Amino acid sequence: MENCIFCKIAEGDIPTDFLYESEHVLAFRDIQPIAPVHVLIIPKKHIASVNDVEQGDQNVMGELFVAARTVAKKLQITEDGYKLLIRTGVHGGQEVPHIHMHVIGGAQLTENIHPI
Ligand code: AMP
Ligand code: ZN
């Protein structure tokens, strides 16, 4: 998708170190980390949000979780734990309209999901 920053990362137009890559997904560090570990996992294919997941995307969506646990293991946070976050739309606070799963950990995390 043109002008999509995560499509540009997936296509190699923005040089990025990948922590994990499979047929359908990629993982890289968030540019503005909110915790010691903050990684984003994206499908290579442009899917704007959870609202745009279609029948046939099951494998891609499943790979997001395989990538999450692989990255968690690589960064040694499996035992202490972590959070996975997928923001959707305005109320969810989604800023980049290419679906992505945040892997957040490396420290004790607080809850912060209350309505404004
Ligand atoms: P969200 O609010 O869930 O849409 O999250 C978007 C995330 O993408 C934010 O945490 C940003 O810091 C992150 N981000 C934006 N641009 C880049 C980039 N070029 N490389 C890595 N992370 C990015
Ligand atoms: Zn995209």
Side-chain angles (χ1 to χ4, degrees):
M1 173 77 66
E2 227 176 308
N3 289 326
C4 171
I5 191 157
F6 288 174
C7 281
K8 284 183 181 157
I9 287 174
E11 285 157 17
D13 294 343
I14 299 174
T16 306
D17 287 331
F18 299 133
L19 290 169
Y20 177 87
E21 179 169 10
S22 71
E23 187 181 355
H24 298 300
V25 311
L26 287 170
F28 50 91
R29 289 186 194 272
D30 196 291
I31 204 167
Q32 286 188 289
I34 62 165
V37 172
H38 189 173
V39 173
L40 300 177
I41 301 169
I42 65 166
K44 292 179 180 176
K45 164 190 170 184
H46 183 85
I47 299 172
S49 80
V50 172
N51 290 334
D52 302 284
V53 173
E54 295 175 341
Q55 289 292 341
D57 289 332
Q58 284 95 334
N59 281 348
V60 181
M61 291 300 108
E63 277 189 39
L64 293 180
F65 283 89
V66 174
R69 62 148 282 235
T70 306
V71 165
K73 184 151 197 228
K74 184 171 181 174
L75 300 180
Q76 300 179 307
I77 58 168
T78 43
E79 278 185 31
D80 287 335
Y82 49 93
K83 280 195 198 187
L84 302 179
L85 171 66
I86 303 179
R87 296 193 173 101
T88 304
V90 173
H91 281 185
Q94 184 179 3
E95 286 178 0
V96 177
H98 179 130
I99 196 170
H100 49 283
M101 178 187 277
H102 298 252
V103 181
I104 304 167
Q108 182 64 52
L109 305 171
T110 60
E111 289 300 335
N112 186 23
I113 54 172
H114 305 290
I116 291 169

